[in-house]
């Protein structure tokens, strides 16, 4: 069945460091891929998404490219800020409403 | 965006008691809502699909008599964990479907059964 494997955290970085959170998936067909972010006390928020191979999703300085050949959707940001501290979830969906999630990766950015 | 509010954010209950978790779409109507749970170090897993005015659809392995879902209005779905036990301790999160296509998530509920 469909599944998402996400790098385990927690991840601690200094401000302005480069961030990569790895995500790979297993799926039938051609799902859409997502990154969600959850800030403390808030709901999951859509960070970015890609709907087909080679698409790049981007938002707030974060990027991820849908790589069909490696079944990956790694999240990257060139220079993290303290305000990026949150839990990040990689997910896939065929319909856009039901999701398969990874375990989530907790990121803490220290000044 | 849209706002989905989940209440409570965290709850501690005694073994054998029941706990109700609410999921509300505050600024849109949602005929469909979803309930997920996450055990420590595991993925968020879909438990059930909640449809307004009809019975919920449960994923394989989820006990419908233990996890009662009621979606009585277009803005509210509730999940009741009946006769809770420590193994039910988990993070529960809901999502509501806006326009039938886009999902918005609540902030989640951390349930601890002692």
């Amino acid at each position: 069945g469909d599944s998402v494997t996400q790098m385990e955290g927690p991840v601690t970085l200094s401000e302005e460091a480069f961030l990569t959170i790895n995500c790979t998936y297993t799926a039938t067909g051609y799902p859409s891929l997502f990154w969600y972010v959850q800030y403390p006390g808030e709901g999951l928020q859509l960070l970015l998404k890609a709907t087909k191979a080679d698409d790049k999703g981007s938002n707030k300085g974060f990027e991820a490219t849908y790589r069909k050949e490696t079944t990956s959707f790694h999240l990257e940001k060139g220079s993290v800020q303290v305000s990026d501290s949150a839990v990040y979830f990689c997910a896939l969906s065929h319909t856009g409403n039901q999701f398969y999630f990874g375990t989530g990766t907790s990121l803490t950015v220290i000044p | 965006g849209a706002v989905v509010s989940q209440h409570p954010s965290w709850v501690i209950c005694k073994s054998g008691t029941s706990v109700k978790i609410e999921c509300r779409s505050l600024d849109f109507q949602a005929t469909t809502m979803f309930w997920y749970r996450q055990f420590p170090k595991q993925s968020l897993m879909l438990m059930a699909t909640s449809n307004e005015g009809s019975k919920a659809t449960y994923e394989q392995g989820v006990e419908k008599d233990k996890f009662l879902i009621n979606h009585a209005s277009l803005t509210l779905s509730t999940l009741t964990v009946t006769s809770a036990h420590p193994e039910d301790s988990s993070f529960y999160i809901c999502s509501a479907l806006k326009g039938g296509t886009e999902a918005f998530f609540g902030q989640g509920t951390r349930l601890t059964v002692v």
Side-chain angles (χ1 to χ4, degrees):
Chain A
D2 294 355
S3 66
V4 174
T5 301
Q6 187 175 340
M7 75 180 272
E8 290 191 26
V11 174
T12 302
L13 294 174
S14 298
E15 206 165 20
E16 299 184 0
F18 184 86
L19 168 72
T20 299
I21 301 178
N22 290 336
C23 172
T24 57
Y25 68 91
T26 302
T28 56
Y30 303 97
S32 295
L33 302 176
F34 303 79
W35 277 100
Y36 279 85
V37 58
Q38 184 172 29
Y39 299 103
E42 299 183 19
L44 289 176
Q45 300 173 25
L46 178 63
L47 179 60
L48 54 84
K49 68 178 183 181
T51 58
K52 61 183 188 295
D54 299 325
D55 266 3
K56 177 186 284 188
S58 61
N59 185 25
K60 300 181 180 180
F62 291 89
E63 292 183 340
T65 301
Y66 190 144
R67 300 286 187 202
K68 185 171 178 294
E69 63 276 13
T70 55
T71 61
S72 65
F73 193 55
H74 304 320
L75 182 68
E76 296 182 338
K77 186 173 185 182
S79 176
V80 294
Q81 304 301 312
V82 173
S83 57
D84 294 326
S85 298
V87 180
Y88 293 82
F89 290 88
C90 184
L92 70 83
S93 177
H94 292 278
T95 60
N97 47 49
Q98 290 187 24
F99 293 84
Y100 294 86
F101 285 94
T103 54
T105 301
S106 174
L107 169 67
T108 300
V109 180
I110 53 177
Chain B
V3 180
V4 175
S5 177
Q6 198 170 330
H7 177 80
S9 298
W10 58 270
V11 58
I12 300 173
C13 71
K14 290 185 178 180
S15 189
T17 62
S18 295
V19 175
K20 180 184 286 187
I21 303 169
E22 295 185 347
C23 179
R24 293 181 185 273
S25 55
L26 297 186
D27 52 358
F28 66 98
Q29 294 183 331
T31 56
T32 303
M33 294 186 179
F34 301 90
W35 288 96
Y36 295 80
R37 69 180 169 188
Q38 183 180 28
F39 293 112
K41 306 251 184 238
Q42 297 185 29
S43 305
L44 270 170
M45 298 292 290
L46 179 66
M47 296 176 66
T49 303
S50 169
N51 297 297
E52 187 268 337
S54 65
K55 291 183 179 180
T57 304
Y58 291 82
E59 296 300 300
Q60 190 173 5
V62 178
E63 299 175 59
K64 62 180 181 181
D65 294 330
K66 180 168 187 61
F67 298 99
L68 301 180
I69 291 172
N70 187 313
H71 194 158
S73 80
L74 288 171
T75 58
L76 174 65
S77 175
T78 60
L79 169 69
T80 301
V81 183
T82 63
S83 186
H85 291 283
E87 57 265 31
D88 298 322
S89 299
S90 186
F91 179 70
Y92 295 85
I93 194 166
C94 69
S95 71
L97 213 54
K98 181 179 180 182
T101 57
E102 190 171 4
F104 292 88
F105 288 82
Q107 75 271 37
T109 298
R110 175 75 58 189
L111 169 64
T112 301
V113 184
V114 297

